[in-house]
Amino acid sequence: PILRVAIMGLGGYGTRVANAMQACTRAKLVGAISGTPSKLTDWQQKYNIPAKNCYNYENYDAIKNNPDIDAVYVITPNALHHDAVIRVAKAGKHAICEKPMAVNAKEGQEMVDACKKADVKLLVGYRMHFEPHTLEIVRMRKAGEFGKITFFQGLSGFVIGDPTQWRLNKALSGGGAMMDIGIYSINGARYMTGEEPVWVTAEETKTNPEKFKEGIDETIQFQLGFPSGAVASCLSTYAMNNLDRFFLDGLNGWAELYPATGYGPIQGRTNKGEINQPVVTHQTVQMDEMAQIILEGKQPIIPVDGEEAVKDLKIIDAIYEAVKLAKKVPLKL
Ligand code: NAD
């Protein structure tokens, strides 16, 4: 079976996913949802999408009556994911949602509950969870090749441009660098160590309060503690470049990914040498895998479901809380 997907939000990343999906064998782009009529006509031509599978933000609930669409992939600004996923669930369609799934854990849980109630699947666009170099390190760690895991370091950041973009507008983004890029270090810390954190500490630095207004974090350093005693030390920033690196340390070995999460070739090495794995288009692999998860109940090696994403949101909530209170915040995931 083929998963027939409509994309909602035809912006930068929506276009990247649409292009990558042209090479999919198990998922197919068949529909589009946009507030801009000209984008819909462009997409009809570019991706051979029938006009009857195109909707706008007012009328897309009618997708309920469209038997040719199985799932909607929500790729709009962060704060809009919550309502969109709930409407998709009510229309009886599976939902795939971009990261961050929501702007806090409470909204994320409401999305999980709505999809459960409607008996549809909810997956989150965590493309790294299907990336071969990443999966090879996870395999080696599970096989005990690094020994007892003691430390993870995640560095996630870039210098963000245009100060008027939605990513720097709290009403649409829900937060700053943490929501957008810091989240990669958060779920990286979890899948690289294989543990769930039990406490968080965090400190914020803001060098440009004009650009990064109240509620938009510029730079946050955060630490996570795990039940085994392992710790993670991470940096999330919109004000530094070249930060896209994961480092996992164990008593008998180590692994590094640099770059760890970018679109380009991921590069990795361990104490045993270079990691040689295929270079893939992340979104092509992601959508083919998600089609199998949704249609065939395939179990991914690293989970990508809504419950999984709520854990990341609980950690983000706790990081913001730790910054505000300037103290260690306990976590129970
Ligand atoms: P973008 O600005 O390029 O596109 C956003 C789209 O949403 C635009 O087409 C815009 O018209 C539309 N939109 C609908 N309602 C809107 C509203 N009320 N206000 C503003 N825009 C509205 O952004 P993007 O980079 O495509 O990001 C979209 C989502 O995808 C975000 O949640 C982001 O975190 C996620 N994303 C994920 C990855 C990844 O690698 N997984 C990469 C980039 C972005």
Side-chain angles (χ1 to χ4, degrees):
I2 301 278
L3 185 75
R4 299 163 304 170
V5 179
I7 290 182
M8 175 190 300
L10 315 184
Y13 197 64
T15 302
R16 182 178 288 273
V17 171
N19 290 336
M21 282 186 72
Q22 303 309 303
C24 283
T25 57
R26 296 172 183 271
K28 187 172 188 308
L29 175 63
V30 299
I33 301 161
S34 172
T36 312
S38 62
K39 284 194 200 165
L40 287 172
T41 48
D42 285 354
W43 275 48
Q44 285 169 31
Q45 282 166 17
K46 198 166 160 204
Y47 303 115
N48 200 19
I49 294 172
K52 70 162 192 64
N53 287 355
C54 291
Y55 297 86
N56 60 44
Y57 292 109
E58 281 73 50
N59 70 13
Y60 76 82
D61 307 277
I63 217 164
K64 188 186 179 79
N65 307 315
N66 189 331
D68 299 329
I69 295 173
D70 304 309
V72 176
Y73 193 165
V74 175
I75 318 187
T76 53
N78 308 340
L80 308 178
H81 297 172
H82 170 266
D83 290 9
V85 164
I86 291 174
R87 278 174 72 181
V88 167
K90 285 186 176 156
K93 303 297 179 181
H94 301 296
I96 303 172
C97 180
E98 254 320 309
K99 45 59 57 179
M101 181 171 81
V103 297
N104 56 52
K106 179 179 169 287
E107 290 200 353
Q109 189 59 49
E110 289 168 3
M111 295 155 77
V112 167
D113 294 344
C115 290
K116 205 169 271 172
K117 192 172 165 203
D119 198 22
V120 297
K121 295 245 168 62
L122 169 57
L123 304 181
V124 177
Y126 287 140
R127 62 188 161 78
M128 301 320 299
H129 294 207
F130 305 103
E131 194 282 318
H133 299 73
T134 304
L135 293 176
E136 174 61 7
I137 294 176
V138 169
R139 184 197 67 74
M140 291 175 76
R141 186 257 300 153
K142 284 182 178 168
E145 295 191 29
F146 307 126
K148 179 181 155 58
I149 298 301
T150 50
F151 178 66
F152 172 80
Q153 183 190 47
L155 306 176
S156 299
F158 62 96
V159 174
I160 196 163
D162 177 13
T164 67
Q165 65 185 289
W166 68 260
R167 281 183 166 77
L168 299 177
N169 172 357
K170 165 121 173 145
L172 288 171
S173 61
M178 186 63 65
M179 286 286 170
D180 191 30
I181 192 80
I183 191 168
Y184 285 96
S185 276
I186 293 172
N187 59 36
R190 296 176 52 228
Y191 61 67
M192 296 292 267
T193 64
E195 292 193 76
E196 301 296 2
V198 290
W199 57 258
V200 171
T201 56
E203 310 81 36
E204 180 172 9
T205 311
K206 197 172 276 197
T207 64
N208 189 345
E210 277 297 302
K211 185 171 178 182
F212 305 105
K213 304 235 156 39
E214 180 68 31
I216 298 290
D217 47 287
E218 175 189 318
T219 299
I220 294 179
Q221 297 179 74
F222 60 95
Q223 298 75 37
L224 307 171
F226 298 96
S228 68
V231 289
S233 172
C234 305
L235 177 72
S236 161
T237 182
Y238 266 160
M240 304 173 197
N241 271 335
N242 315 308
L243 294 179
D244 181 18
R245 182 174 177 268
F246 287 176
F247 179 72
L248 182 70
D249 196 31
L251 291 178
N252 301 334
W254 55 267
E256 180 193 53
L257 288 172
Y258 185 55
T261 69
Y263 301 137
I266 300 301
Q267 291 183 45
R269 55 206 67 78
T270 72
N271 53 297
K272 293 175 179 161
E274 290 294 312
I275 298 175
N276 290 309
Q277 288 291 324
V279 172
V280 300
T281 301
H282 299 168
Q283 298 81 5
T284 307
V285 175
Q286 174 203 323
M287 292 308 291
D288 275 341
E289 289 291 321
M290 286 187 166
Q292 294 171 79
I293 294 168
I294 289 175
L295 297 175
E296 295 160 32
K298 183 174 176 182
Q299 289 292 118
I301 295 166
I302 308 173
V304 287
D305 53 81
E307 279 95 341
E308 171 76 12
V310 169
K311 292 181 187 173
D312 292 325
L313 295 174
K314 282 183 178 166
I315 297 172
I316 292 181
D317 287 352
I319 289 170
Y320 285 149
E321 179 87 349
V323 166
K324 202 168 85 190
L325 302 177
K327 61 180 201 198
K328 190 185 249 191
V329 172
L331 260 175
K332 201 165 163 20
L333 298 186

Coordinates of all heavy atoms in Angstrom, one line a residue, residues 8-16 34-36 39 57 73-78 80-81 98-100 125-127 166-167 172 179-180 184 261 263 283 286, ligand 1:
M8 N 0.2 20.5 4.4 CA -0.4 21.8 4.8 C 0.8 22.7 5.1 O 1.6 22.4 6.0 CB -1.2 21.5 6.0 CG -1.8 22.8 6.6 SD -2.6 22.6 8.2 CE -3.9 21.5 7.8
G9 N 0.8 23.9 4.4 CA 1.9 24.9 4.7 C 2.9 24.7 3.6 O 3.8 23.8 3.7
L10 N 2.8 25.5 2.5 CA 3.6 25.3 1.3 C 4.8 26.3 1.4 O 5.1 27.0 0.4 CB 2.8 25.4 0.1 CG 1.4 24.7 0.1 CD1 0.7 24.9 -1.3 CD2 1.5 23.3 0.5
G11 N 5.5 26.3 2.5 CA 6.6 27.2 2.7 C 7.9 26.5 2.3 O 8.0 25.6 1.5
G12 N 9.0 27.0 3.0 CA 10.3 26.5 2.7 C 10.5 25.0 3.0 O 10.9 24.2 2.1
Y13 N 10.1 24.6 4.1 CA 10.2 23.1 4.4 C 9.2 22.3 3.8 O 9.5 21.2 3.3 CB 10.3 22.9 6.0 CG 10.9 21.6 6.3 CD1 12.2 21.3 6.0 CD2 10.1 20.6 6.8 CE1 12.7 20.0 6.2 CE2 10.6 19.3 7.1 CZ 11.9 19.0 6.8 OH 12.5 17.8 7.0
G14 N 8.0 22.8 3.6 CA 7.0 22.0 2.9 C 7.4 21.7 1.5 O 7.2 20.6 1.0
T15 N 8.1 22.7 0.9 CA 8.6 22.5 -0.5 C 9.7 21.5 -0.5 O 9.8 20.6 -1.4 CB 9.1 23.8 -1.1 OG1 8.0 24.8 -1.0 CG2 9.6 23.7 -2.5
R16 N 10.6 21.5 0.5 CA 11.7 20.5 0.6 C 11.1 19.1 0.7 O 11.6 18.2 0.0 CB 12.6 20.9 1.8 CG 13.7 19.9 1.9 CD 14.6 20.4 3.1 NE 15.4 21.6 2.8 CZ 16.6 21.6 2.2 NH1 17.2 20.5 1.8 NH2 17.2 22.7 2.0
S34 N -3.3 25.3 1.6 CA -2.6 26.6 1.6 C -3.6 27.7 1.7 O -4.7 27.6 1.2 CB -1.7 26.8 0.4 OG -1.2 28.1 0.3
G35 N -3.2 28.9 2.2 CA -4.0 30.1 2.2 C -3.8 30.9 1.0 O -4.4 31.9 0.8
T36 N -2.8 30.5 0.2 CA -2.4 31.3 -1.0 C -2.8 30.5 -2.3 O -2.2 29.5 -2.7 CB -0.9 31.5 -1.0 OG1 -0.5 32.0 0.3 CG2 -0.5 32.6 -2.1
K39 N -0.2 29.5 -4.9 CA 0.7 28.4 -4.5 C 0.0 27.1 -4.8 O 0.7 26.1 -5.3 CB 1.0 28.4 -3.0 CG 2.0 29.5 -2.6 CD 2.5 29.1 -1.2 CE 3.1 30.3 -0.5 NZ 3.2 30.1 1.0
Y57 N -7.3 27.1 4.4 CA -7.5 26.9 5.8 C -8.9 27.0 6.3 O -9.2 26.6 7.4 CB -6.5 27.9 6.6 CG -5.1 27.6 6.3 CD1 -4.3 28.4 5.5 CD2 -4.5 26.4 6.9 CE1 -2.9 28.1 5.3 CE2 -3.2 26.1 6.7 CZ -2.4 26.9 5.9 OH -1.1 26.6 5.7
Y73 N 0.3 16.2 6.3 CA 1.5 16.5 6.9 C 1.5 18.1 7.2 O 1.5 18.9 6.3 CB 2.7 16.2 6.0 CG 4.1 16.2 6.5 CD1 5.1 15.6 5.8 CD2 4.4 16.8 7.7 CE1 6.4 15.6 6.3 CE2 5.7 16.8 8.3 CZ 6.7 16.2 7.5 OH 8.0 16.2 8.0
V74 N 1.5 18.4 8.5 CA 1.4 19.8 8.9 C 2.7 20.5 9.0 O 3.6 20.1 9.8 CB 0.6 19.9 10.3 CG1 0.6 21.3 10.8 CG2 -0.8 19.3 10.2
I75 N 3.0 21.4 8.1 CA 4.3 22.1 8.0 C 4.2 23.6 8.1 O 4.7 24.4 7.3 CB 5.1 21.6 6.8 CG1 4.9 20.1 6.5 CG2 6.6 22.0 6.9 CD1 5.8 19.5 5.4
T76 N 3.4 24.0 9.1 CA 3.1 25.5 9.3 C 3.9 26.0 10.5 O 4.6 25.1 11.2 CB 1.6 25.7 9.6 OG1 1.3 24.8 10.7 CG2 0.7 25.3 8.4
P77 N 3.9 27.3 10.8 CA 4.6 27.7 12.0 C 4.2 27.0 13.2 O 3.0 26.6 13.4 CB 4.3 29.2 12.0 CG 4.1 29.6 10.6 CD 3.4 28.4 10.0
N78 N 5.1 26.8 14.2 CA 4.9 25.9 15.3 C 3.6 26.1 16.1 O 3.0 25.1 16.4 CB 6.0 26.2 16.4 CG 7.4 26.1 15.7 OD1 7.6 25.5 14.7 ND2 8.4 26.7 16.4
L80 N 0.8 26.9 15.2 CA -0.4 26.5 14.5 C -0.6 25.0 14.4 O -1.6 24.5 14.0 CB -0.4 27.1 13.1 CG -0.1 28.6 13.0 CD1 0.0 29.1 11.6 CD2 -1.1 29.4 13.8
H81 N 0.4 24.2 14.8 CA 0.4 22.8 14.7 C -0.8 22.2 15.5 O -1.5 21.3 15.0 CB 1.7 22.1 15.2 CG 2.9 22.5 14.4 ND1 4.2 22.1 14.8 CD2 3.0 23.2 13.2 CE1 5.1 22.6 13.9 NE2 4.4 23.2 12.9
E98 N 5.2 18.6 11.9 CA 6.6 19.0 12.0 C 7.0 19.3 13.5 O 6.1 19.5 14.3 CB 6.9 20.3 11.2 CG 7.7 20.0 9.9 CD 8.8 19.0 10.2 OE1 9.6 19.2 11.1 OE2 8.9 18.0 9.4
K99 N 8.3 19.3 13.7 CA 8.8 19.6 15.0 C 8.9 21.1 15.2 O 9.0 21.8 14.2 CB 10.2 19.0 15.3 CG 11.2 19.1 14.2 CD 11.7 20.4 13.6 CE 12.3 21.4 14.5 NZ 12.7 22.6 13.7
P100 N 8.8 21.7 16.4 CA 8.3 21.1 17.6 C 6.8 20.7 17.4 O 6.1 21.6 16.8 CB 8.5 22.1 18.7 CG 8.4 23.4 17.9 CD 9.0 23.2 16.6
G125 N 7.7 14.9 12.6 CA 8.7 14.9 11.5 C 10.2 14.8 11.9 O 11.0 15.6 11.5
Y126 N 10.5 13.9 12.8 CA 11.9 13.8 13.3 C 12.7 13.0 12.3 O 12.9 11.8 12.4 CB 11.9 13.0 14.7 CG 11.4 13.8 15.8 CD1 10.6 13.3 16.8 CD2 11.8 15.2 16.0 CE1 10.1 14.0 17.9 CE2 11.3 15.9 17.1 CZ 10.5 15.3 18.1 OH 10.1 16.0 19.2
R127 N 13.2 13.7 11.3 CA 13.9 13.0 10.2 C 15.2 12.3 10.6 O 15.6 11.3 10.0 CB 14.2 14.0 9.0 CG 15.0 15.1 9.4 CD 15.1 16.2 8.3 NE 15.6 17.4 8.8 CZ 16.9 17.7 9.1 NH1 17.8 16.8 8.9 NH2 17.2 18.8 9.7
W166 N 8.6 34.7 11.3 CA 7.8 34.1 12.3 C 8.6 33.5 13.4 O 8.1 33.4 14.5 CB 6.7 33.2 11.7 CG 7.2 31.9 11.1 CD1 7.4 31.7 9.7 CD2 7.6 30.7 11.8 NE1 7.9 30.4 9.6 CE2 8.0 29.8 10.8 CE3 7.6 30.3 13.1 CZ2 8.5 28.5 11.1 CZ3 8.0 29.1 13.5 CH2 8.5 28.2 12.5
R167 N 9.7 32.9 13.1 CA 10.5 32.2 14.1 C 10.9 33.1 15.3 O 11.3 32.6 16.3 CB 11.8 31.6 13.5 CG 11.6 30.3 12.7 CD 12.9 29.7 12.2 NE 12.7 28.4 11.7 CZ 12.1 28.0 10.6 NH1 11.7 28.9 9.7 NH2 12.0 26.7 10.3
L172 N 3.7 32.9 17.0 CA 3.8 31.9 16.0 C 4.8 30.8 16.2 O 4.6 29.7 15.8 CB 4.1 32.5 14.6 CG 2.9 33.3 14.0 CD1 3.4 34.1 12.7 CD2 1.8 32.4 13.6
M179 N 13.0 25.9 20.6 CA 11.8 25.3 19.9 C 12.3 24.8 18.5 O 11.8 23.8 18.0 CB 10.7 26.3 19.7 CG 9.9 26.7 20.9 SD 8.8 25.3 21.3 CE 8.3 25.8 22.9
D180 N 13.2 25.6 17.9 CA 13.5 25.4 16.5 C 14.7 24.4 16.3 O 14.6 23.4 15.5 CB 13.9 26.7 15.9 CG 14.0 26.7 14.4 OD1 13.3 25.9 13.8 OD2 14.8 27.5 13.9
Y184 N 16.8 19.5 18.7 CA 17.6 18.4 18.1 C 18.6 17.8 19.2 O 18.8 16.6 19.2 CB 18.4 18.9 16.9 CG 17.5 19.0 15.6 CD1 17.0 20.3 15.3 CD2 17.3 18.0 14.8 CE1 16.2 20.4 14.2 CE2 16.5 18.1 13.7 CZ 16.0 19.3 13.4 OH 15.2 19.5 12.2
T261 N 22.9 17.0 12.3 CA 21.4 17.1 12.0 C 21.1 17.9 10.7 O 19.9 18.0 10.4 CB 20.7 17.7 13.2 OG1 21.0 19.0 13.3 CG2 20.9 16.9 14.5
Y263 N 20.9 19.1 6.7 CA 20.3 18.3 5.5 C 21.4 17.6 4.7 O 21.1 16.6 4.0 CB 19.6 19.3 4.6 CG 18.5 20.1 5.2 CD1 18.3 21.4 4.9 CD2 17.5 19.5 6.0 CE1 17.3 22.2 5.4 CE2 16.5 20.2 6.5 CZ 16.3 21.6 6.2 OH 15.3 22.3 6.7
Q283 N 14.3 13.3 4.1 CA 12.8 13.4 4.0 C 12.2 12.3 3.1 O 11.1 11.8 3.4 CB 12.3 14.8 3.5 CG 12.8 15.9 4.4 CD 14.2 16.4 4.2 OE1 14.9 15.9 3.3 NE2 14.6 17.3 5.0
Q286 N 12.4 9.3 5.5 CA 11.4 9.5 6.6 C 10.0 9.2 6.1 O 9.2 8.5 6.7 CB 11.5 11.0 7.0 CG 10.4 11.4 8.0 CD 10.1 12.9 8.0 OE1 11.1 13.7 7.8 NE2 8.9 13.3 8.1
Ligands
NAD1 P1 8.2 28.9 6.3 O1 8.0 30.2 6.8 O2 9.2 28.7 5.1 O3 6.8 28.2 5.9 C1 5.7 28.3 6.7 C2 4.5 28.2 5.8 O4 3.3 28.3 6.7 C3 4.4 29.4 4.8 O5 4.1 28.8 3.5 C4 3.2 30.2 5.3 O6 2.5 30.8 4.3 C5 2.4 29.2 6.1 N1 1.5 29.7 7.0 C6 0.2 29.3 7.2 N2 -0.4 30.0 8.2 C7 0.5 31.0 8.6 C8 0.4 32.0 9.5 N3 -0.7 32.3 10.2 N4 1.5 32.8 9.6 C9 2.6 32.6 9.0 N5 2.7 31.6 8.1 C10 1.7 30.8 7.9 O7 8.7 28.0 7.5 P2 9.3 26.5 7.4 O8 10.8 26.6 7.6 O9 8.8 25.8 6.3 O10 8.8 25.9 8.8 C11 7.5 25.3 9.0 C12 7.6 24.2 10.0 O11 8.5 23.2 9.6 C13 8.0 24.7 11.4 O12 7.3 24.1 12.4 C14 9.5 24.3 11.5 O13 10.0 24.0 12.8 C15 9.4 23.0 10.7 N6 10.7 22.7 10.0 C16 11.3 21.5 10.2 C17 12.5 21.2 9.6 C18 13.1 19.8 9.7 O14 14.2 19.6 9.3 N7 12.4 18.8 10.3 C19 13.2 22.1 8.8 C20 12.6 23.4 8.7 C21 11.4 23.7 9.3

